Amino acid sequence: MRQTSLPSDTHRAIEAIWRIESARLIAGLARLVGDIGTAEELAQDALVAALEQWPTSGVPERPGPWLMATAKHRAIDLIRRRKTLERKYEELGRDIERDHDRRDVDAAIDEEVGDDLLGLIFMACHPVLSKDARIALTLRVLGGLTTEEIARAFLVPVSSIAQRIVRAKRTLAEAHVRFEVPGGPERAARLASVLEVIYLIFNEGYSATAGEDWIRPALCEEALRLGRILAELAPGESEVHGLVALMEIQASRLSARVGPSGEPVLLLEQDRARWDRMLVGRGLAALERAERLGGTMGPYALQAAIAACHGRAATAADTDWGRIVALYDALAQLAPSPVVELNRAVAVGMAFGPEAGLDVVDALVPEPSLKKYHLLPAVRGDLLKKLGRSKEARAEFEHAATLTDNARERELLQRRAAECALEGIAQ
Amino acid sequence: MRVLVLAKEEQQTRAATPPTPEAMAEHQRFNGELVKAGVVVGAGRLSPSAQGKRVQFEGKKRTVIDGPFAESKELVAGYWLWEVRSIDEALEWLKRAPYDGGTFEVRQVSQYEGA
């Protein structure tokens, strides 16, 4: 037994152990019983047992296997009760025997745990679920976050998240989604769905879509953690490394992109001394891993390569805008979207002058999907300002300010509009 | 949150006893587990303090002191940078380490000071 004296210490220890073990636990159980809902309930039962027993018995030396053994016994009880799942019961029996035989063969168990975790990720991110459902379920079963924590992070009522998770589990069960690591042609599409979920979580933290808090670093950290885990589970997938590289490099700017009073600081105006060099280094290393795997670069690797151009530049003036334009050209071909085009416009503006950039932006103005996107007028305003057309620029910034839900960003845009007004007077 | 885990060894000033191959393998397995869990973001092992230097500041004066630093009871022998969700999580990971000696110190790294 390990020394843990006070009950409150034990509770904190249990909470931490739960964070470490819950995903592996749920994954192993999901493989046995076939559905996430039951797996999660069994895992929760094991947690309750730990909360009941550990304060008096002490935390076991190997808490992970303890929880798994407890949950598996409950699984047997459950399946016995259900009776209908006889085949599953046999499988479970075999599985426990196998686990027993293999107790010392750590590598084999490791691999199995890895496959289980991967299976759980693929299941929670199944394309049959809506984006919101995938995000909530992933944070719940893989991140070990409580419903309350997820609700707080996304600024939604707890009941909505709870409902989302319940519905997601039901949808998976009704669609008979199998617990598996998909292979063959299906794998690419399923993996894309996983990467999308992780990046959505990251972005929700990186630039909160609504509210006062501009950054919710916990979500970024969670997404990064999931990405890093995935990179170890699926080391041969270059896009996984591409996504990790992108997130590492973006996360390196977390402290630099917020000013002293919480206002956003734009990339080119950031104090690069405040970038987290370790994360930049990790990002560049992940990008190299992606590139070493060969093949054409996917959309995440391309975005990471763009972020890396900034990461490598000692000052904003050193930025290799020519390369960034080339990378955006490649990205626009591979995954064309108005937002990519808008970013390309910014790069073109930097590489070939504001006039050239404005040409690209102006072509986007009629685009219906950007009608309410605040960055379109914000970018247009910026280019107009550089061209000395401050009156038009001001109108664009003011328009942009009305389109964002983020209070901090709105202030920044209003300030830029005010600067244009001053310039207008000076002229 | 990011934490710095400092591995402290007593009398690291002397030629550190090289770890046995078994101990190394155990350590690597543990480290591998941490990497797979997305916990490790950086790590390093330090050479003995005999090869270390200290720079002492006294107003404008700088004094360079050569190692070994005999006066320190516990010297840092290595470090990890971990990304965890709480100090408790770091402690739970640390308790699983396969070591039978030494002290490990866990310190939170302050981040996002602008936020």
Side-chain angles (χ1 to χ4, degrees), chain A residues 2 21 143 221 276 282, chain B residues 1-2 41 85 95-96:
Chain A
R2 297 184 297 181
E21 300 293 342
E221 283 172 14
D276 186 329
R282 288 183 60 92
Chain B
M1 68 168 77
R2 195 174 292 170
V41 287
R85 285 160 293 188
K95 285 180 198 166
R96 296 172 185 203

Side-chain angles (χ1 to χ4, degrees), chain A residues 202 206 224 246-257 270 272 274-281 307 311, chain B residues 2 112:
Chain A
F202 182 86
Y206 197 64
L224 255 172
L246 177 60
M247 293 193 296
E248 300 267 19
I249 297 174
Q250 288 187 331
S252 76
R253 304 178 198 139
L254 273 171
S255 356
R257 64 203 288 273
Q270 287 170 12
R272 294 179 183 223
R274 298 184 64 197
W275 286 359
D276 186 329
R277 287 289 147 194
M278 191 189 70
L279 290 182
V280 174
Chain B
R2 195 174 292 170
Y112 315 121

Side-chain angles (χ1 to χ4, degrees), chain A residues 5 54 65 70 120 128 152 157 163 198 211-212 223-224 229 232 256 301 311 335 364 385 391:
Chain A
S5 45
W54 294 359
T70 306
L120 185 64
V128 77
R152 204 162 58 222
Q163 258 179 22
I198 295 176
E212 300 290 323
L224 255 172
I229 292 172
E232 295 298 320
L364 280 170
K385 187 168 179 280
K391 208 169 167 183

Side-chain angles (χ1 to χ4, degrees), chain A residues 101-364:
Chain A
D101 294 341
R102 276 183 180 177
R103 198 178 299 155
D104 297 321
V105 193
D106 279 330
I109 288 175
D110 253 22
E111 200 174 292
E112 201 162 278
V113 167
D115 279 352
D116 286 353
L117 262 185
L118 207 49
L120 185 64
I121 294 176
F122 275 114
M123 199 173 198
C125 297
H126 198 282
V128 77
L129 301 171
S130 72
K131 272 182 203 170
D132 285 349
R134 276 183 269 162
I135 290 169
L137 196 58
T138 299
L139 286 172
R140 177 67 186 260
V141 297
L142 287 149
L145 267 65
T146 62
T147 309
E148 288 75 18
E149 285 169 326
I150 301 169
R152 204 162 58 222
F154 286 89
L155 309 167
V156 244
V158 176
S159 57
S160 319
I161 294 291
Q163 258 179 22
R164 229 174 258 177
I165 291 172
V166 168
R167 246 185 268 131
K169 288 176 187 165
R170 198 189 304 141
T171 306
L172 287 174
E174 283 169 2
H176 302 291
V177 169
R178 271 180 306 154
F179 184 82
E180 60 176 359
V181 176
E186 203 197 341
R187 188 175 169 102
R190 296 281 303 273
L191 188 67
S193 176
V194 171
L195 298 179
E196 183 187 25
V197 169
I198 295 176
Y199 196 44
L200 283 169
I201 293 171
F202 182 86
N203 272 322
E204 185 62 31
Y206 197 64
S207 130
T209 49
E212 300 290 323
D213 248 351
W214 203 58
I215 290 174
R216 273 167 292 172
L219 281 177
C220 293
E221 283 172 14
E222 196 52 49
L224 255 172
R225 200 178 64 87
L226 288 172
R228 288 168 185 155
I229 292 172
L230 192 61
E232 295 298 320
L233 292 174
E237 301 286 353
S238 75
E239 272 294 83
V240 175
H241 300 299
L243 173 63
V244 172
L246 177 60
M247 293 193 296
E248 300 267 19
I249 297 174
Q250 288 187 331
S252 76
R253 304 178 198 139
L254 273 171
S255 356
R257 64 203 288 273
V258 182
S261 41
E263 74 280 10
V265 181
L266 300 175
L267 176 62
L268 297 178
E269 283 149 28
Q270 287 170 12
D271 174 2
R272 294 179 183 223
R274 298 184 64 197
W275 286 359
D276 186 329
R277 287 289 147 194
M278 191 189 70
L279 290 182
V280 174
R282 288 183 60 92
L284 296 177
L287 182 59
E288 246 175 64
R289 267 177 105 177
E291 285 166 349
R292 262 206 314 272
L293 286 167
T296 44
M297 283 167 98
Y300 289 112
L302 281 170
Q303 290 175 77
I306 293 164
C309 288
H310 296 296
R312 288 193 198 99
T315 67
D318 293 333
T319 313
D320 186 350
W321 289 107
R323 176 162 167 75
I324 292 179
V325 171
L327 288 164
Y328 269 121
D329 287 343
L331 187 60
Q333 287 222 319
L334 195 65
S337 89
V339 173
V340 168
E341 196 58 12
L342 185 60
N343 282 313
R344 198 175 72 85
V346 175
V348 168
M350 295 304 290
F352 309 115
E355 197 86 56
L358 197 60
D359 285 345
V360 182
V361 176
D362 285 346
L364 280 170

